[in-house]
């Protein structure tokens, strides 16, 4: 690239001059798309500026769409203008229709229909009174951050506490510098995808698995490789075959109380997953968002791996509040720095006030006592739901799994989506299994929320909807 004439007396900062100079060379096609820029060290040396100045300028050019960063390779030009290039839809983007069908009804129909397959615990199960008390107390403190932005990685005392209360409890040795706080698990997964993946990359996902993750990955133009999920974890033969053929970059999985099946990985399965990750050089994203509902010991990939190849994601949204969205990423220090930069460029910071609220709930012991009661309630609801659905004639897959979800089917029905569409007229919101599959193939399986289906009246309504569907067919 042509040397940029930097002046310290023209009213513009050095960062602004570098951004304008490189942007102009790209706009005028002096730098063609795909051109590798000088390294940060070389640029700083050639132009007699600090490395920090170059880092900030390159970051601004990435945010403006002029440059793209490739791990281990440097910065490259990506357009011929200063406007970011709009991504083309992924090949199966149109297949998000079924996914949007479910999400829209979950959000718009909240409180209007019985959310038989919904992703949330009922409001009545949550500790609203305790949240209000802690919220009032925190708001009255002079050091509560009600107005300002937070720290880049998140509220430091909460990061430090999570190292002990979350990572330490599951046997992971880490430091606060390995924790990045996020706006729930959804932002955590999005940041990981933004930073580590590029359009056209291939990723391993579970089938069935988390529908919102699949939709987000499709929007990014990524190729989803479906790994069947069994009662003790992913199908290892399928995982190995896909990894060998496609060389994916990431594997997104839930080791404990997987959504939607409720199953957990066996120790042998978890160990083999890590062996395959090492052999085929992919990273593993372990989504442990439902972990607080689990009772007893469980095998986690992060524990076995100690965050070398595993990126660990967790959230408090499912157990505390959908409005107080605090999640976390725990990973290697170098990845934590990358995710922090991506967080700053896309969202600046997360809410320091909400993070202080979560911190108070944790350190005062309120959250631990509340979760203990919640765990027992989920266990009792699950037992009642399994028995009730089986009495209705449904087949429950893995009835001895755990957590708030059951994976079940109605014998004789090959596709649950028409059944779910018909049930809306009866005031029931079912969760058809097709939206939990990476490529949205038809399936007879459905997700059931035990906190809702434990009620006998709800199960009677499910039975009536099934009978009505059969009569109409």
């Amino acid at each position: 690239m042509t040397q940029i004439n930097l002046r310290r007396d023209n009213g513009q900062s050095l960062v602004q001059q570098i951004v304008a100079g490189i942007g102009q060379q790209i706009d005028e096609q002096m730098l063609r798309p795909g051109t590798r820029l000088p390294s940060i060290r070389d640029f700083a040396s050639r132009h007699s500026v600090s490395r920090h100045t170059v880092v900030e300028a390159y970051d601004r050019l990435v945010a403006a769409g002029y440059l793209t960063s490739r791990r281990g390779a440097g910065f490259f030009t990506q357009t011929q203008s200063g406007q970011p290039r709009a991504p083309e839809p992924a090949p199966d983007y149109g297949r998000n229709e079924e996914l949007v069908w479910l999400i829209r009804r979950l959000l718009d129909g909240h409180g209007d229909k019985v959310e038989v397959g919904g992703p949330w615990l009922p409001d009545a199960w949550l500790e609203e009174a305790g949240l209000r008390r802690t919220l009032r107390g925190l708001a009255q403190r002079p050091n509560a951050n009600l107005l300002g932005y937070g720290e880049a990685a998140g509220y430091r005392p909460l990061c430090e506490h999570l190292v002990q209360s979350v990572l330490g409890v599951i046997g992971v040795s880490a430091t606060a510098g390995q924790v990045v706080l996020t706006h729930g698990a959804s932002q955590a997964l999005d940041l990981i995808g933004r930073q580590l993946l590029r359009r056209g990359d291939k990723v391993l996902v579970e089938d069935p698995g988390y529908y919102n993750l699949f939709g987000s990955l499709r929007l990014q133009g990524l190729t989803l490789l479906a790994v069947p999920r069994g009662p003790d974890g992913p199908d290892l033969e399928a995982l190995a075959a896909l990894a060998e053929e496609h060389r994916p970059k990431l594997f997104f999985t839930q080791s404990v109380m997987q959504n939607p099946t409720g199953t957990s990985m066996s120790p042998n399965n978890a160990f083999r997953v890590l062996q395959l990750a090492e052999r085929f050089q992919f990273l593993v994203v372990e989504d442990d968002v439902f972990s607080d509902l689990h009772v007893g010991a469980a095998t986690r990939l992060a524990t076995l791996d100690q965050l070398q190849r595993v990126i660990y994601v967790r959230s408090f949204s499912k157990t505390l509040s959908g409005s107080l969205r605090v999640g976390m990423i725990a990973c290697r220090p170098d990845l934590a720095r990358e995710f922090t930069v991506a967080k700053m460029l896309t969202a600046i910071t997360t809410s320091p006030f909400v993070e202080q609220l979560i911190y108070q709930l944790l350190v005062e012991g309120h959250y631990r006592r509340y979760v203990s009661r919640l765990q027992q309630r989920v266990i009792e609801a699950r037992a009642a739901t399994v028995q009730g659905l089986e009495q209705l004639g449904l087949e429950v897959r893995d009835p001895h799994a755990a957590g708030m979800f059951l994976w079940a089917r109605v014998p004789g029905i090959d596709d649950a989506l028409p059944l779910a569409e018909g049930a809306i007229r009866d005031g029931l919101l079912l969760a058809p299994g097709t939206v939990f599959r990476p490529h949205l193939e038809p399936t007879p399986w459905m997700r059931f929320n035990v906190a809702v289906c434990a009620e006998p009246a709800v199960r009677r309504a499910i039975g009536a909807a099934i009978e009505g569907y059969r009569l109409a067919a």
Side-chain angles (χ1 to χ4, degrees):
M1 62 177 289
T2 305
Q3 184 87 2
I4 298 173
N5 183 25
L6 300 178
R7 297 182 58 182
R8 288 169 169 77
D9 59 350
N10 72 346
Q12 277 191 321
S13 69
L14 293 174
V15 171
Q16 291 173 322
Q17 293 180 60
I18 294 171
V19 170
I22 295 177
Q24 181 179 1
Q25 292 186 29
I26 295 174
D27 288 340
E28 295 176 356
Q29 301 185 35
M30 297 170 64
L31 292 174
R32 304 292 294 178
T35 300
R36 185 180 185 276
L37 265 65
S39 69
I40 292 171
R41 180 197 298 269
D42 289 344
F43 189 101
S45 175
R46 288 169 55 183
H47 292 83
S48 301
V49 296
S50 71
R51 295 182 190 178
H52 176 78
T53 297
V54 183
V55 168
E56 185 175 350
Y58 277 15
D59 282 343
R60 291 191 186 185
L61 287 162
V62 169
Y66 280 101
L67 303 181
T68 182
S69 173
R70 302 177 191 172
R71 286 190 67 206
F75 292 83
F76 295 79
T77 59
Q78 66 172 354
T79 67
Q80 296 181 7
S81 70
Q83 297 300 318
R85 182 181 301 163
E88 298 176 4
D92 58 353
Y93 169 72
R95 305 191 69 190
N96 271 353
E97 291 179 2
E98 289 91 343
L99 176 59
V100 175
W101 177 91
L102 176 65
I103 296 176
R104 181 167 292 145
R105 280 158 180 78
L106 285 172
L107 296 176
D108 296 345
H110 189 56
D112 180 41
K113 295 177 175 62
V114 180
E115 298 176 357
V116 174
W120 306 294
L121 292 170
D123 290 349
W125 284 41
L126 303 180
E127 191 73 356
E128 183 176 359
L131 284 174
R132 289 183 180 276
R133 285 194 300 271
T134 305
L135 183 62
R136 284 195 296 269
L138 179 61
Q140 293 171 358
R141 296 183 181 183
N143 61 341
N145 193 341
L146 288 169
L147 303 176
Y149 288 92
E151 301 170 67
Y155 184 54
R156 183 73 178 189
L158 178 56
C159 294
E160 294 172 345
H161 186 75
L162 292 176
V163 168
Q164 304 299 323
S165 65
V166 171
L167 299 177
V169 167
I170 65 173
V172 174
S173 177
T175 66
Q178 293 176 253
V179 174
V180 181
L181 300 183
T182 61
H183 187 67
S186 294
Q187 188 194 31
L189 296 172
D190 182 66
L191 288 175
I192 293 168
R194 283 177 180 270
Q195 192 63 22
L196 301 184
L197 300 171
R198 296 295 178 266
R199 180 174 181 78
D201 284 347
K202 298 176 181 180
V203 294
L204 296 158
V205 295
E206 294 182 311
D207 181 13
Y210 179 39
Y211 55 78
N212 209 58
L213 170 66
F214 300 158
S216 175
L217 295 175
R218 278 194 289 267
L219 282 176
Q220 295 179 48
L222 303 169
T223 299
L224 277 57
L225 306 174
V227 181
R229 174 79 182 208
D232 65 344
D235 183 319
L236 295 173
E237 290 187 6
L239 177 59
L242 289 168
E244 183 171 22
E245 179 180 358
H246 298 285
R247 302 291 167 164
K249 291 188 174 181
L250 294 179
F251 175 33
F252 291 89
T253 183
Q254 290 182 307
S255 58
V256 179
M257 292 189 301
Q258 192 246 12
N259 178 16
T261 65
T263 59
S264 298
M265 283 190 196
S266 67
N268 178 67
N269 189 285
F271 181 71
R272 288 284 292 120
V273 167
L274 292 176
Q275 282 187 322
L276 292 172
E278 180 69 25
R279 176 182 172 188
F280 295 108
Q281 294 297 295
F282 60 81
L283 298 178
V284 180
V285 180
E286 183 177 26
D287 181 356
D288 204 15
V289 69
F290 294 102
S291 59
D292 282 338
L293 297 179
H294 190 272
V295 177
T299 300
R300 289 179 173 85
L301 298 167
T303 305
L304 297 175
D305 176 75
Q306 292 296 304
L307 302 181
Q308 293 305 301
R309 192 166 289 278
V310 172
I311 302 170
Y312 182 76
V313 173
R314 191 149 170 173
S315 169
F316 295 94
S317 302
K318 299 296 183 183
T319 49
L320 271 178
S321 166
S323 295
L324 303 175
R325 298 180 59 77
V326 174
M328 63 174 283
I329 301 173
C331 55
R332 296 193 320 246
D334 60 316
L335 291 177
R337 290 190 291 270
E338 291 188 32
F339 297 144
T340 300
V341 170
K343 174 184 171 183
M344 289 189 294
L345 291 175
T346 57
I348 305 178
T349 65
T350 42
S351 169
F353 181 76
V354 173
E355 290 167 358
Q356 288 179 75
L357 176 62
I358 300 298
Y359 175 73
Q360 291 301 320
L361 291 168
L362 291 176
V363 298
E364 293 173 0
H366 174 85
Y367 183 71
R368 178 184 55 80
R369 294 189 296 271
Y370 156 67
V371 165
S372 179
R373 297 191 300 269
L374 192 61
Q375 290 171 345
Q376 186 59 37
R377 197 167 185 180
V378 169
I379 290 172
E380 294 171 357
R382 185 177 183 88
T385 302
V386 169
Q387 182 180 28
L389 293 183
E390 289 180 339
Q391 289 175 349
L392 289 174
L394 277 73
E395 175 189 348
V396 177
R397 202 181 91 176
D398 307 310
H400 299 296
M404 60 186 287
F405 298 130
L406 283 175
W407 195 233
R409 66 185 293 267
V410 179
I413 295 179
D414 296 327
D415 185 0
L417 185 59
L419 171 61
E421 290 171 335
I424 290 179
R425 294 188 293 270
D426 299 321
L428 298 179
L429 190 59
L430 301 176
T434 185
V435 301
F436 297 94
R437 305 200 64 188
H439 303 295
L440 301 167
E441 302 97 332
T443 176
W445 297 94
M446 294 179 286
R447 184 181 72 179
F448 293 86
N449 185 325
V450 303
V452 176
C453 298
E455 296 294 330
V458 173
R459 297 199 298 272
R460 288 194 296 269
I462 294 171
I466 294 171
E467 183 64 22
Y469 174 80
R470 282 175 167 159
L471 291 175

